Amino acid sequence: MEEIRSLKVINELGMHARAAGHIVGLAGKYKAKLFLRKDAREADGSSILSILSLACPKGSEIEARIVGKDAKEFMNELEGLFNTKFGETAGGHYRPKKKIMKGFPVSPGIIIGKAHHLDRFKTQIFHRKLLDRKEVDGQIDRFKQAVDMAKEQIQKFKSSMSEQVEGYAFVLDTHSMILEDSLLFDSTLKRIRKEKINAGWALEKSVNKIHQLFRQVEDDYIGRRMDDVDSVSERVLRNLAGVQPDSIEGIKEEVIIVAHSLSPCDIVEINVSNVTGILTDVGSRTSHMAIMSEALEIPVVVGLESATDMILDGDLLIVDGSAGEVIVNPDPDTIISYEDRKKRYNRYKSAIHRVRHLPAETVDGYKIRIQANIEFLAEAKAAIESGAEGIGLYRTEYLYMIKRDFPDEQTLFDDYSQIARIVAPNPVTIRTLDIASDKMVSDMQTSREDNPALGLRSIRFCLNERKVFKTQLRAILRASVYGNFRLMFPMISGLGQFLEAKRVLKGVMRSLDGEGVEYDREIPIGILIEIPSATSIADILAKHADFFSIGTNDLIQYALAIDRDNEHVAHLYEPFHPAVLRMIHQVVKAGNEEGIEVSLCGEIAGDPLSILTLLSLGLKEFSLNVGSIPLIKKMIRMIPLGKVGDGLTGILELPTSKRIEDFVLRKAKSLLPDVFEEDVFTYRPPGTA
């Protein structure tokens, strides 16, 4: 069946991007094919770019031809779109202005598509005093039923996890555990009884109390913990209110989700055939939602603050997940430019993935070791598949965060021995507990610290809590026989502290010897260099350590007194700061003079511009986030290391971050014009929004 009609563009703005988006959206509804013709040019009605290429201002005459089963119904609705001016007001007041928004990049890639609002705003909570015992009992029953329902919902999501995210099933297990946590469950029941308030109000108070307990702890792990608490409590509140959120499963066309927030359960529901990108108002790069969404391999940007207000349902969007940038209602030239960039990005991505399992060896024969930073056992397999030659930083805090009490030795051993087996024969550098006393959920009554980032945390906490420390060391040593382990102490500020940690370790070794327990007696012992004082005495520390790993995430923050996740000062987080580069160089030099390995495990190692700088400073071993590994390996295989060193000579003499960054970029363009000149990827100092 075929329908042909002549249609006239009568809206003031002509066939702009939003109008083209409406047409493409309509085309997706019908079993028919649309062709639009203006003069001698014909456009595919299912392609925004093709429609925009017709360049139709107000007054243009267009021939529409529809072929297929639903041709007549399709044509009638299409004609209605033209007659109603694609949503413009009678006076032509609607002006889809181009807007650019910035957020935190989570998952790279470029996508052009239509916005789809997903209602994930907080459930409205009504505050009501209860009159008698009967109402109290009723609210207690309602709360218990809502929690049970939430548990069933989470289990349902867990049973339907796709292969892409099934390795993160433990996140949903955590949500189930939070539902049973005394701070949430028991506390809410007590409030209903004691304060005689309704269940929603009582739950709100319990969650607020948890927030208060951790408000002063500026740390990624706590942020992630609170995201999970908020997600779980919101699920219970919806069940109490009898409100069902917008369905993700119901999305049947290609869209970019725009939501206030998303939960890990939402990520489980996503079908990447229909959802091509994700934007949220809130969220951090280290939330469980963000970590899981990266596994979907679609562009994701979080922390946009006002995306749900600034973006209308159906708006045309360009999402650059590498830069954390969103363009709303782009003009045709911008669309065409990004379409070209998207093609180049995908081409480079394919080339990058083809070499991810090849050695990271420069064209002049220098071998560079590329390893992965991971936080969860589930990430180990993904790291190896991405080309990691081992785990350069295994953060061990997660098992302490999800337990009501400290995890026992067997729980830790099971986790550590599994990762040893998965990664063997490649090495695993396992970092001892890097956690503050404020975080310990087993003792919420402990005194709060005014500045926990500089307080009893990390190795200080471990040396203060010897029983906790020894339990972890026993588990690490026992697991060391199953693979190739290296043990690393974090936040070392002086030699005495490091020697004391080693004394505790030696004591644990003697204990295992007495029990006849096998372990690697030659396990290398290293220091995570992340405090300025450690860089100043790196030459002293190097005489007592088997290796160094430079943790630039914290080193930069401590050196510059900057919280990179604080929007007011994030712009001052400068990886190219002369002081930072000199500290790194000082540590590398000290390590080389003592003949010990020096690696770097900060986020800057995943930035293409930064990696050239770090190579010029003498580093040859890096550990980075899993998603950055293929690109960095590809780059290293394209460069002559000798020319990098020669080209960046004098970098330590430059006075400002801007001068250094400009200098490195100029050299990068001459060394790797295919990558840097074509602007396939957006380069920025990592950690900034």
Side-chain angles (χ1 to χ4, degrees), residues 1 9 28 113 200 243 399 437 459 478 523 616 669:
M1 187 173 180
V9 179
V243 175
L399 291 176
S437 60
I459 194 65
R478 286 176 55 203
I523 186 171
S616 76
K669 287 181 176 180

Side-chain angles (χ1 to χ4, degrees), residues 348-367:
Y348 272 94
K349 184 178 178 181
S350 297
I352 286 164
H353 279 274
R354 284 197 297 271
V355 304
R356 68 187 186 276
H357 291 302
L358 297 177
E361 186 173 321
T362 65
V363 294
D364 49 352
Y366 288 93
K367 180 70 172 68

Side-chain angles (χ1 to χ4, degrees), residues 168 170-171 174-175 178 211 214 217-232 264 283-292 374-376 379 395-399 401-402 431 439 603:
Y168 294 95
F170 64 88
V171 174
T174 302
H175 282 208
I178 292 172
H211 274 277
F214 293 112
V217 185
E218 296 181 359
D219 186 276
D220 285 348
Y221 295 105
I222 287 302
R224 183 181 305 122
R225 181 70 167 173
M226 292 315 306
D227 286 340
D228 291 333
V229 171
D230 291 340
S231 175
V232 165
S284 70
R285 290 161 300 204
T286 56
S287 69
H288 281 145
M289 183 283 288
I291 292 168
M292 290 175 67
I374 66 171
E375 300 176 32
F376 316 112
E379 293 178 295
R395 303 178 176 103
T396 58
E397 290 69 41
Y398 183 71
L399 291 176
M401 297 300 298
I402 65 172
R431 182 181 73 183
K439 297 179 188 176
E603 283 186 17

